[in-house]
Amino acid sequence: MCPPEHFEVSYSINPWMEPDKPTDAPLALVQWDRLRARLVSLGHRVDVVPPRPGLPDMVFAANAATVIDGRVLAARYRHPQRSGEEPAYQAWFAEHGYPVRQAGFVNEGEGDMLPTGARILAGTGFRTDHRAHAEAADHFGLPVVTLHLVDPYFYHLDTALAVLDHEEIMYYPGAFSPDSQALLRELYPDAILADEADAAVFGLNAISDGEHVLLPQSAVHLTESLRAAGFTPIAVDLSELLKAGGAAKCCALELRESLPSTERRREPS
């Protein structure tokens, strides 16, 4: 994670960003720190990457890379406003002993690459180049499933879909092309489906450890669905960061040492 010490909305690279609207960097930092503290309280280790001036979106650490089995496929951003984040995060990985491969095509990390137990779900349509999907498959040795995003308000896969546990997901069908909707129904017939209202408050931009799911407090229907499925939803407020088009998942990049091989057992409540 990276604290939003330099957070602001000074440019617009997605429909959520309106530079004319005021932002509150101290409030963003308070909300971010509450998220970090909650993850720590749940037993997770949180490594903090130092923020750099002039990179207001560096807080969205999930976009920096994809990490599986301790190997890093580093991001290559589509928009030049974010390109300065690339060397910042790559330097951190190198300093901490992670082998890093630089992306050959536009690839916005876990924004569009969501590993599950058996595969990588990969988004394209607005940010990540579809050719980056084959690159990820080659680097990690996992099958990659391409999903086409069609709504600019859901410009990254992690705004429209969340991996909850080994081969369990939730998603908003309206964010995807008809073919991708059909593919998701085939692969995940028991997935939790979000309605437009919960998707619009970034309810799918959630962090799950297979038991607890941290998601925006305003995603009330998803919260009910998660609880019914045996998960423990935890409400978080990241309303200030939403002004830049990000929420809980955007703020955290998972440093996977390995992918899960078995599904955790939960009893529905």
Side-chain angles (χ1 to χ4, degrees):
M1 297 181 71
C2 178
E5 293 180 7
H6 308 292
F7 178 72
E8 61 181 0
V9 178
S10 54
Y11 49 78
S12 181
I13 58 174
N14 68 59
W16 303 93
M17 304 179 82
E18 299 182 47
D20 293 338
K21 288 188 175 181
T23 52
D24 187 335
L27 176 58
L29 186 57
V30 168
Q31 292 178 347
W32 175 91
D33 195 54
R34 287 174 181 163
L35 175 64
R36 182 202 59 79
R38 180 55 65 94
L39 288 168
V40 171
S41 74
L42 293 173
H44 302 293
R45 188 190 84 226
V46 176
D47 295 323
V48 176
V49 178
R52 296 190 181 184
L55 298 175
D57 284 342
M58 196 172 168
V59 60
F60 300 128
N63 304 155
T66 307
V67 184
I68 302 175
D69 289 333
R71 292 179 295 156
V72 176
L73 179 59
R76 180 177 175 183
Y77 289 96
R78 178 165 297 280
H79 295 289
Q81 293 92 332
R82 298 197 67 181
S83 61
E85 299 175 39
E86 296 172 18
Y89 276 105
Q90 289 177 30
W92 188 92
F93 283 121
E95 289 167 4
H96 290 78
Y98 287 87
V100 178
R101 173 173 171 175
Q102 295 186 4
F105 301 100
V106 172
N107 179 341
E108 300 207 349
E110 277 200 328
D112 278 322
M113 298 274 185
L114 296 177
T116 73
R119 57 181 67 90
I120 298 173
L121 300 178
T124 190
F126 297 102
R127 295 294 184 85
T128 296
D129 191 310
H130 71 278
R131 292 172 294 181
H133 298 179
E135 190 173 40
D138 174 70
H139 185 60
F140 295 118
L142 287 169
V144 173
V145 174
T146 294
L147 299 170
H148 293 272
L149 298 163
V150 296
D151 186 330
Y153 281 92
F154 304 100
Y155 59 95
H156 273 153
L157 183 62
D158 70 354
T159 68
L161 183 151
V163 176
L164 298 171
D165 199 1
H166 179 66
E167 295 310 302
E168 292 184 83
I169 70 168
M170 59 182 182
Y171 69 97
Y172 170 51
F176 298 92
S177 69
D179 286 347
S180 292
Q181 291 182 40
L183 182 56
L184 286 168
R185 286 195 299 269
E186 177 184 347
L187 293 174
Y188 303 100
D190 299 321
I192 295 173
L193 301 183
D195 61 21
E196 184 177 4
D198 279 356
V201 295
F202 267 40
L204 293 160
N205 196 244
I207 300 172
S208 176
D209 62 8
E211 179 180 355
H212 310 94
V213 182
L214 285 69
L215 74 165
Q217 58 191 4
S218 49
V220 292
H221 297 104
L222 270 182
T223 296
E224 295 169 0
S225 297
L226 286 164
R227 188 173 290 114
F231 293 92
T232 301
I234 298 174
V236 294
D237 180 11
L238 293 165
S239 54
E240 198 63 23
L241 292 174
L242 183 56
K243 294 176 180 178
K249 175 56 190 165
C250 286
C251 291
L253 173 64
E254 187 171 347
L255 304 179
R256 298 174 185 80
E257 297 304 321
S258 62
L259 281 172
S261 58
T262 58
E263 181 180 356
R264 294 191 186 195
R265 292 187 176 270
R266 288 179 308 278
E267 296 297 330
S269 58

